[in-house]
Amino acid sequence: MAEQIAVLGAGSWGSTLANMLVENGHDVKLWSRNQEQVDQLNNEHVNPHYMKDLVYSDKLVATSDMADAVKGAQVILIVIPTKGLRQVAGQLNKILEQNNQRPLIVHATKGLEQNTYKRPSEMLMEEINEENRRDIVVLSGPSHAEDVAIKDMTAVTAACANINDADKIQKLFSNNYFRVYTNNDVIGAEFGAALKNIIAIGAGALQGLGYHDNARAALITRGLAEIRRLGVAFGANPMTFIGLSGVGDLVVTATSKNSRNWRAGYQLGQGRKLDDVIEHMGMVIEGVYTTKAAHELSLKRQVKMPITDALYRVLYEGEDIKNAISQLMSRDLTSEIE
Ligand SMILES: NC(=O)C1=CN([C@@H]2O[C@H](COP(=O)(O)OP(=O)(O)OC[C@H]3O[C@@H](n4cnc5c(N)ncnc54)[C@H](OP(=O)(O)O)[C@@H]3O)[C@@H](O)[C@H]2O)C=CC1
Ligand SMILES: O=C(CO)COP(=O)(O)O
């Protein structure tokens, strides 16, 4: 059945999902704060800054008026980088209050908030009144926008404490190339999504420095061990980390040139400066900010995250990457299984 869906955020992922939802037969309004981008999407059906090869459906309606996007929507999908999420959610809350609206809210944001270390669903629950929302659904998993745009086979997770809401999102989003599984572990899905970006930067850096397959496999495996450790300390189900929003997303991000986090790491490995890498990416590199949040959180919770700590020193304290790698490799020898 066709649903009315609002998508907030017209970057790479938001605009690609909005287009896919139109092709799934839904009535979709895509909100962007940028009027020029809205005009390009409506008139030329392109979004060249974010998705240079995608021609969008002429049934997709873009708008820079959030109230217009949201009016009457039964489902609202939020695809805003972590840094802007609270502000957009606050704006949305005012509109929902005025309309007396109670939609199902889904987000696809992958990060942790600076200083508070909150997960995206926690930020959304704080910013959007309980009377104006149901449980939050997390859409996560190995899903580069570039692959979904060309209808490559993709499988993701819809996680929600209320499994009926996860089921609803599973049905709305799934099609013959995009398969959605459900999970009730929101904490695990969000920690997996946020923390894999740190490891992806590390994997790119290793490649930029000239390391090979063994190094990448070691980083991914031991990276997953520390992602799971932090997630479980906050109540995540350890099984989630061997699922799509765990190892699945880690593998795709840590092995693909489509990943902005991997590309950032690669350039750092090749000797470029962080500010320069951020400036030239033109899209969000969530892992840079999540490294700081996760490093601080791991100290606070006394959870060992040696790879995250090494990357923190490289990104925020100017340590040479090669030194950080030697330090990692010369730590006390330990058991693989805790
Ligand atoms: N790209 C991908 O393949 C995937 C991305 N994700 C996650 O989705 C989230 C969004 O990523 P992605 O779409 O790739 O990011 P992009 O950098 O491609 O786009 C970000 C979008 O968010 C908008 N935006 C940023 N801050 C604000 C704000 N304060 N108010 C309003 N709009 C804002 C930007 O607007 P403007 O252009 O005006 O700056 C832009 O439209 C991230 O957390 C990412 O990790 C998840 C799965 C896949
Ligand atoms: O989360 C993603 C794919 O699942 C996107 O990763 P990047 O942000 O590294 O491009």
Side-chain angles (χ1 to χ4, degrees), residues 15 55 80 117 216 233 237 240 260 289-290 316:
S15 70
V55 178
I80 297 286
Y117 321 123
R216 181 172 51 220
N237 177 349
T240 299
R260 286 87 46 102
Y289 314 105
T290 307
Y316 290 94

Side-chain angles (χ1 to χ4, degrees), residues 9-15 31-34 37 49-50 79-85 87-88 91 108-111 139 141 143-146 196-197 249 258 260-261 282-286:
S12 324
W13 193 217
S15 70
W31 173 78
S32 161
R33 63 181 170 184
N34 179 340
Q37 184 192 27
H49 177 75
Y50 289 110
V79 200
I80 297 286
T82 312
K83 199 175 165 199
L85 186 62
Q87 188 223 322
V88 169
Q91 214 178 322
T109 299
K110 295 180 175 177
L139 188 77
S143 49
H144 279 130
E146 292 79 359
K196 58 87 187 173
N197 286 330
D249 210 358
N258 278 336
R260 286 87 46 102
N261 288 285
M283 289 179 269
V284 67
I285 312 169
E286 289 274 23

Side-chain angles (χ1 to χ4, degrees), residues 23 61 71 99 116 137 159 232 238 243 269 271-272 314 333:
E23 292 182 350
V61 177
K71 192 161 182 244
N99 295 356
T116 71
V137 184
V232 167
R272 275 177 84 172
V314 170
L333 297 172

